mmCIF file with all atom_site columns, all heavy atoms in Angstrom:
data_model
loop_
_atom_site.group_PDB
_atom_site.id
_atom_site.type_symbol
_atom_site.label_atom_id
_atom_site.label_alt_id
_atom_site.label_comp_id
_atom_site.label_asym_id
_atom_site.label_entity_id
_atom_site.label_seq_id
_atom_site.pdbx_PDB_ins_code
_atom_site.Cartn_x
_atom_site.Cartn_y
_atom_site.Cartn_z
_atom_site.occupancy
_atom_site.B_iso_or_equiv
_atom_site.pdbx_formal_charge
_atom_site.auth_seq_id
_atom_site.auth_comp_id
_atom_site.auth_asym_id
_atom_site.auth_atom_id
_atom_site.pdbx_PDB_model_num
ATOM 1   N N   . SER A 1 11 ? 10.284  -8.398  29.914 1.00 49.00 ? 11 SER A N   1
ATOM 2   C CA  . SER A 1 11 ? 9.054   -8.571  30.690 1.00 49.00 ? 11 SER A CA  1
ATOM 3   C C   . SER A 1 11 ? 8.056   -7.459  30.383 1.00 49.00 ? 11 SER A C   1
ATOM 4   O O   . SER A 1 11 ? 6.855   -7.668  30.401 1.00 49.00 ? 11 SER A O   1
ATOM 5   C CB  . SER A 1 11 ? 9.354   -8.629  32.190 1.00 49.00 ? 11 SER A CB  1
ATOM 6   O OG  . SER A 1 11 ? 9.852   -7.382  32.640 1.00 49.00 ? 11 SER A OG  1
ATOM 7   N N   . ARG A 1 12 ? 8.548   -6.247  30.080 1.00 50.00 ? 12 ARG A N   1
ATOM 8   C CA  . ARG A 1 12 ? 7.657   -5.151  29.709 1.00 50.00 ? 12 ARG A CA  1
ATOM 9   C C   . ARG A 1 12 ? 7.054   -5.376  28.334 1.00 50.00 ? 12 ARG A C   1
ATOM 10  O O   . ARG A 1 12 ? 5.944   -4.953  28.058 1.00 50.00 ? 12 ARG A O   1
ATOM 11  C CB  . ARG A 1 12 ? 8.401   -3.813  29.728 1.00 50.00 ? 12 ARG A CB  1
ATOM 12  C CG  . ARG A 1 12 ? 8.521   -3.241  31.112 1.00 50.00 ? 12 ARG A CG  1
ATOM 13  C CD  . ARG A 1 12 ? 9.084   -1.850  31.065 1.00 50.00 ? 12 ARG A CD  1
ATOM 14  N NE  . ARG A 1 12 ? 10.530  -1.968  31.272 1.00 50.00 ? 12 ARG A NE  1
ATOM 15  C CZ  . ARG A 1 12 ? 11.444  -1.263  30.646 1.00 50.00 ? 12 ARG A CZ  1
ATOM 16  N NH1 . ARG A 1 12 ? 11.103  -0.378  29.765 1.00 50.00 ? 12 ARG A NH1 1
ATOM 17  N NH2 . ARG A 1 12 ? 12.712  -1.445  30.883 1.00 50.00 ? 12 ARG A NH2 1
ATOM 18  N N   . CYS A 1 13 ? 7.767   -6.050  27.457 1.00 51.00 ? 13 CYS A N   1
ATOM 19  C CA  . CYS A 1 13 ? 7.282   -6.307  26.094 1.00 51.00 ? 13 CYS A CA  1
ATOM 20  C C   . CYS A 1 13 ? 6.409   -7.554  26.023 1.00 51.00 ? 13 CYS A C   1
ATOM 21  O O   . CYS A 1 13 ? 5.883   -7.869  24.963 1.00 51.00 ? 13 CYS A O   1
ATOM 22  C CB  . CYS A 1 13 ? 8.454   -6.483  25.146 1.00 51.00 ? 13 CYS A CB  1
ATOM 23  S SG  . CYS A 1 13 ? 9.414   -4.989  24.934 1.00 51.00 ? 13 CYS A SG  1
ATOM 24  N N   . GLN A 1 14 ? 6.233   -8.244  27.124 1.00 47.00 ? 14 GLN A N   1
ATOM 25  C CA  . GLN A 1 14 ? 5.495   -9.497  27.116 1.00 47.00 ? 14 GLN A CA  1
ATOM 26  C C   . GLN A 1 14 ? 4.062   -9.308  26.640 1.00 47.00 ? 14 GLN A C   1
ATOM 27  O O   . GLN A 1 14 ? 3.494   -10.184 26.003 1.00 47.00 ? 14 GLN A O   1
ATOM 28  C CB  . GLN A 1 14 ? 5.492   -10.128 28.502 1.00 47.00 ? 14 GLN A CB  1
ATOM 29  C CG  . GLN A 1 14 ? 4.799   -11.467 28.560 1.00 47.00 ? 14 GLN A CG  1
ATOM 30  C CD  . GLN A 1 14 ? 4.774   -12.008 29.960 1.00 47.00 ? 14 GLN A CD  1
ATOM 31  O OE1 . GLN A 1 14 ? 5.248   -11.370 30.883 1.00 47.00 ? 14 GLN A OE1 1
ATOM 32  N NE2 . GLN A 1 14 ? 4.210   -13.174 30.116 1.00 47.00 ? 14 GLN A NE2 1
ATOM 33  N N   . GLY A 1 15 ? 3.480   -8.155  26.879 1.00 50.00 ? 15 GLY A N   1
ATOM 34  C CA  . GLY A 1 15 ? 2.113   -7.892  26.466 1.00 50.00 ? 15 GLY A CA  1
ATOM 35  C C   . GLY A 1 15 ? 1.918   -8.007  24.971 1.00 50.00 ? 15 GLY A C   1
ATOM 36  O O   . GLY A 1 15 ? 0.817   -8.278  24.495 1.00 50.00 ? 15 GLY A O   1
ATOM 37  N N   . ILE A 1 16 ? 2.958   -7.810  24.198 1.00 48.00 ? 16 ILE A N   1
ATOM 38  C CA  . ILE A 1 16 ? 2.864   -7.917  22.741 1.00 48.00 ? 16 ILE A CA  1
ATOM 39  C C   . ILE A 1 16 ? 2.519   -9.342  22.331 1.00 48.00 ? 16 ILE A C   1
ATOM 40  O O   . ILE A 1 16 ? 1.800   -9.565  21.370 1.00 48.00 ? 16 ILE A O   1
ATOM 41  C CB  . ILE A 1 16 ? 4.200   -7.485  22.089 1.00 48.00 ? 16 ILE A CB  1
ATOM 42  C CG1 . ILE A 1 16 ? 4.458   -6.024  22.376 1.00 48.00 ? 16 ILE A CG1 1
ATOM 43  C CG2 . ILE A 1 16 ? 4.202   -7.764  20.605 1.00 48.00 ? 16 ILE A CG2 1
ATOM 44  C CD1 . ILE A 1 16 ? 5.844   -5.569  21.967 1.00 48.00 ? 16 ILE A CD1 1
ATOM 45  N N   . PHE A 1 17 ? 3.001   -10.318 23.079 1.00 48.00 ? 17 PHE A N   1
ATOM 46  C CA  . PHE A 1 17 ? 2.853   -11.708 22.692 1.00 48.00 ? 17 PHE A CA  1
ATOM 47  C C   . PHE A 1 17 ? 1.689   -12.404 23.387 1.00 48.00 ? 17 PHE A C   1
ATOM 48  O O   . PHE A 1 17 ? 1.524   -13.598 23.244 1.00 48.00 ? 17 PHE A O   1
ATOM 49  C CB  . PHE A 1 17 ? 4.154   -12.464 22.973 1.00 48.00 ? 17 PHE A CB  1
ATOM 50  C CG  . PHE A 1 17 ? 5.326   -11.864 22.247 1.00 48.00 ? 17 PHE A CG  1
ATOM 51  C CD1 . PHE A 1 17 ? 6.299   -11.152 22.926 1.00 48.00 ? 17 PHE A CD1 1
ATOM 52  C CD2 . PHE A 1 17 ? 5.433   -11.979 20.875 1.00 48.00 ? 17 PHE A CD2 1
ATOM 53  C CE1 . PHE A 1 17 ? 7.369   -10.588 22.259 1.00 48.00 ? 17 PHE A CE1 1
ATOM 54  C CE2 . PHE A 1 17 ? 6.494   -11.411 20.190 1.00 48.00 ? 17 PHE A CE2 1
ATOM 55  C CZ  . PHE A 1 17 ? 7.456   -10.714 20.887 1.00 48.00 ? 17 PHE A CZ  1
ATOM 56  N N   . ASP A 1 18 ? 0.907   -11.668 24.155 1.00 49.00 ? 18 ASP A N   1
ATOM 57  C CA  . ASP A 1 18 ? -0.257  -12.272 24.796 1.00 49.00 ? 18 ASP A CA  1
ATOM 58  C C   . ASP A 1 18 ? -1.253  -12.731 23.749 1.00 49.00 ? 18 ASP A C   1
ATOM 59  O O   . ASP A 1 18 ? -1.351  -12.166 22.665 1.00 49.00 ? 18 ASP A O   1
ATOM 60  C CB  . ASP A 1 18 ? -0.950  -11.273 25.732 1.00 49.00 ? 18 ASP A CB  1
ATOM 61  C CG  . ASP A 1 18 ? -0.181  -11.078 27.025 1.00 49.00 ? 18 ASP A CG  1
ATOM 62  O OD1 . ASP A 1 18 ? 0.683   -11.925 27.321 1.00 49.00 ? 18 ASP A OD1 1
ATOM 63  O OD2 . ASP A 1 18 ? -0.443  -10.082 27.724 1.00 49.00 ? 18 ASP A OD2 1
ATOM 64  N N   . LYS A 1 19 ? -2.029  -13.742 24.094 1.00 52.00 ? 19 LYS A N   1
ATOM 65  C CA  . LYS A 1 19 ? -3.021  -14.253 23.168 1.00 52.00 ? 19 LYS A CA  1
ATOM 66  C C   . LYS A 1 19 ? -4.094  -13.201 22.881 1.00 52.00 ? 19 LYS A C   1
ATOM 67  O O   . LYS A 1 19 ? -4.575  -13.063 21.773 1.00 52.00 ? 19 LYS A O   1
ATOM 68  C CB  . LYS A 1 19 ? -3.646  -15.513 23.750 1.00 52.00 ? 19 LYS A CB  1
ATOM 69  C CG  . LYS A 1 19 ? -4.416  -16.322 22.778 1.00 52.00 ? 19 LYS A CG  1
ATOM 70  C CD  . LYS A 1 19 ? -4.793  -17.641 23.365 1.00 52.00 ? 19 LYS A CD  1
ATOM 71  C CE  . LYS A 1 19 ? -5.283  -18.545 22.262 1.00 52.00 ? 19 LYS A CE  1
ATOM 72  N NZ  . LYS A 1 19 ? -5.482  -19.888 22.719 1.00 52.00 ? 19 LYS A NZ  1
ATOM 73  N N   . LYS A 1 20 ? -4.451  -12.422 23.897 1.00 59.00 ? 20 LYS A N   1
ATOM 74  C CA  . LYS A 1 20 ? -5.479  -11.400 23.726 1.00 59.00 ? 20 LYS A CA  1
ATOM 75  C C   . LYS A 1 20 ? -5.035  -10.363 22.702 1.00 59.00 ? 20 LYS A C   1
ATOM 76  O O   . LYS A 1 20 ? -5.799  -9.984  21.819 1.00 59.00 ? 20 LYS A O   1
ATOM 77  C CB  . LYS A 1 20 ? -5.777  -10.733 25.071 1.00 59.00 ? 20 LYS A CB  1
ATOM 78  C CG  . LYS A 1 20 ? -6.839  -9.682  25.006 1.00 59.00 ? 20 LYS A CG  1
ATOM 79  C CD  . LYS A 1 20 ? -7.069  -9.061  26.359 1.00 59.00 ? 20 LYS A CD  1
ATOM 80  C CE  . LYS A 1 20 ? -8.072  -7.938  26.265 1.00 59.00 ? 20 LYS A CE  1
ATOM 81  N NZ  . LYS A 1 20 ? -8.201  -7.205  27.505 1.00 59.00 ? 20 LYS A NZ  1
ATOM 82  N N   . ASN A 1 21 ? -3.805  -9.896  22.810 1.00 64.00 ? 21 ASN A N   1
ATOM 83  C CA  . ASN A 1 21 ? -3.317  -8.891  21.864 1.00 64.00 ? 21 ASN A CA  1
ATOM 84  C C   . ASN A 1 21 ? -3.188  -9.459  20.458 1.00 64.00 ? 21 ASN A C   1
ATOM 85  O O   . ASN A 1 21 ? -3.400  -8.757  19.486 1.00 64.00 ? 21 ASN A O   1
ATOM 86  C CB  . ASN A 1 21 ? -1.980  -8.324  22.327 1.00 64.00 ? 21 ASN A CB  1
ATOM 87  C CG  . ASN A 1 21 ? -2.140  -7.411  23.521 1.00 64.00 ? 21 ASN A CG  1
ATOM 88  O OD1 . ASN A 1 21 ? -3.232  -6.927  23.787 1.00 64.00 ? 21 ASN A OD1 1
ATOM 89  N ND2 . ASN A 1 21 ? -1.064  -7.195  24.233 1.00 64.00 ? 21 ASN A ND2 1
ATOM 90  N N   . GLY A 1 22 ? -2.850  -10.725 20.364 1.00 64.00 ? 22 GLY A N   1
ATOM 91  C CA  . GLY A 1 22 ? -2.753  -11.361 19.050 1.00 64.00 ? 22 GLY A CA  1
ATOM 92  C C   . GLY A 1 22 ? -4.101  -11.434 18.368 1.00 64.00 ? 22 GLY A C   1
ATOM 93  O O   . GLY A 1 22 ? -4.218  -11.179 17.172 1.00 64.00 ? 22 GLY A O   1
ATOM 94  N N   . SER A 1 23 ? -5.138  -11.763 19.114 1.00 72.00 ? 23 SER A N   1
ATOM 95  C CA  . SER A 1 23 ? -6.470  -11.823 18.509 1.00 72.00 ? 23 SER A CA  1
ATOM 96  C C   . SER A 1 23 ? -6.970  -10.424 18.169 1.00 72.00 ? 23 SER A C   1
ATOM 97  O O   . SER A 1 23 ? -7.697  -10.238 17.200 1.00 72.00 ? 23 SER A O   1
ATOM 98  C CB  . SER A 1 23 ? -7.454  -12.537 19.437 1.00 72.00 ? 23 SER A CB  1
ATOM 99  O OG  . SER A 1 23 ? -7.630  -11.796 20.626 1.00 72.00 ? 23 SER A OG  1
ATOM 100 N N   . GLN A 1 24 ? -6.594  -9.435  18.974 1.00 73.00 ? 24 GLN A N   1
ATOM 101 C CA  . GLN A 1 24 ? -6.963  -8.058  18.645 1.00 73.00 ? 24 GLN A CA  1
ATOM 102 C C   . GLN A 1 24 ? -6.285  -7.625  17.350 1.00 73.00 ? 24 GLN A C   1
ATOM 103 O O   . GLN A 1 24 ? -6.891  -6.947  16.522 1.00 73.00 ? 24 GLN A O   1
ATOM 104 C CB  . GLN A 1 24 ? -6.575  -7.110  19.774 1.00 73.00 ? 24 GLN A CB  1
ATOM 105 C CG  . GLN A 1 24 ? -7.461  -7.224  20.992 1.00 73.00 ? 24 GLN A CG  1
ATOM 106 C CD  . GLN A 1 24 ? -6.970  -6.360  22.144 1.00 73.00 ? 24 GLN A CD  1
ATOM 107 O OE1 . GLN A 1 24 ? -5.840  -5.898  22.136 1.00 73.00 ? 24 GLN A OE1 1
ATOM 108 N NE2 . GLN A 1 24 ? -7.817  -6.168  23.135 1.00 73.00 ? 24 GLN A NE2 1
ATOM 109 N N   . ALA A 1 25 ? -5.048  -8.015  17.170 1.00 72.00 ? 25 ALA A N   1
ATOM 110 C CA  . ALA A 1 25 ? -4.329  -7.669  15.941 1.00 72.00 ? 25 ALA A CA  1
ATOM 111 C C   . ALA A 1 25 ? -4.972  -8.344  14.741 1.00 72.00 ? 25 ALA A C   1
ATOM 112 O O   . ALA A 1 25 ? -5.117  -7.738  13.679 1.00 72.00 ? 25 ALA A O   1
ATOM 113 C CB  . ALA A 1 25 ? -2.863  -8.065  16.068 1.00 72.00 ? 25 ALA A CB  1
ATOM 114 N N   . ASN A 1 26 ? -5.367  -9.601  14.900 1.00 78.00 ? 26 ASN A N   1
ATOM 115 C CA  . ASN A 1 26 ? -6.004  -10.320 13.798 1.00 78.00 ? 26 ASN A CA  1
ATOM 116 C C   . ASN A 1 26 ? -7.350  -9.716  13.428 1.00 78.00 ? 26 ASN A C   1
ATOM 117 O O   . ASN A 1 26 ? -7.733  -9.713  12.267 1.00 78.00 ? 26 ASN A O   1
ATOM 118 C CB  . ASN A 1 26 ? -6.169  -11.800 14.133 1.00 78.00 ? 26 ASN A CB  1
ATOM 119 C CG  . ASN A 1 26 ? -4.859  -12.539 14.086 1.00 78.00 ? 26 ASN A CG  1
ATOM 120 O OD1 . ASN A 1 26 ? -3.925  -12.110 13.431 1.00 78.00 ? 26 ASN A OD1 1
ATOM 121 N ND2 . ASN A 1 26 ? -4.794  -13.654 14.789 1.00 78.00 ? 26 ASN A ND2 1
ATOM 122 N N   . SER A 1 27 ? -8.085  -9.209  14.414 1.00 81.00 ? 27 SER A N   1
ATOM 123 C CA  . SER A 1 27 ? -9.381  -8.606  14.105 1.00 81.00 ? 27 SER A CA  1
ATOM 124 C C   . SER A 1 27 ? -9.215  -7.227  13.479 1.00 81.00 ? 27 SER A C   1
ATOM 125 O O   . SER A 1 27 ? -10.084 -6.761  12.749 1.00 81.00 ? 27 SER A O   1
ATOM 126 C CB  . SER A 1 27 ? -10.249 -8.527  15.359 1.00 81.00 ? 27 SER A CB  1
ATOM 127 O OG  . SER A 1 27 ? -9.653  -7.679  16.320 1.00 81.00 ? 27 SER A OG  1
ATOM 128 N N   . ALA A 1 28 ? -8.115  -6.555  13.737 1.00 80.00 ? 28 ALA A N   1
ATOM 129 C CA  . ALA A 1 28 ? -7.878  -5.231  13.154 1.00 80.00 ? 28 ALA A CA  1
ATOM 130 C C   . ALA A 1 28 ? -7.292  -5.326  11.752 1.00 80.00 ? 28 ALA A C   1
ATOM 131 O O   . ALA A 1 28 ? -7.347  -4.351  10.995 1.00 80.00 ? 28 ALA A O   1
ATOM 132 C CB  . ALA A 1 28 ? -6.938  -4.432  14.049 1.00 80.00 ? 28 ALA A CB  1
ATOM 133 N N   . LEU A 1 29 ? -6.763  -6.481  11.403 1.00 81.00 ? 29 LEU A N   1
ATOM 134 C CA  . LEU A 1 29 ? -6.108  -6.636  10.106 1.00 81.00 ? 29 LEU A CA  1
ATOM 135 C C   . LEU A 1 29 ? -7.003  -6.330  8.910  1.00 81.00 ? 29 LEU A C   1
ATOM 136 O O   . LEU A 1 29 ? -6.589  -5.596  8.010  1.00 81.00 ? 29 LEU A O   1
ATOM 137 C CB  . LEU A 1 29 ? -5.530  -8.049  10.003 1.00 81.00 ? 29 LEU A CB  1
ATOM 138 C CG  . LEU A 1 29 ? -4.409  -8.265  9.017  1.00 81.00 ? 29 LEU A CG  1
ATOM 139 C CD1 . LEU A 1 29 ? -3.252  -7.316  9.284  1.00 81.00 ? 29 LEU A CD1 1
ATOM 140 C CD2 . LEU A 1 29 ? -3.931  -9.688  9.080  1.00 81.00 ? 29 LEU A CD2 1
#
Side-chain angles (χ1 to χ4, degrees):
S11 66
R12 279 188 265 141
C13 294
Q14 183 183 2
I16 296 171
F17 302 107
D18 285 343
K19 195 170 193 172
K20 181 181 176 187
N21 288 341
S23 64
Q24 287 175 345
N26 287 337
S27 63
L29 202 56

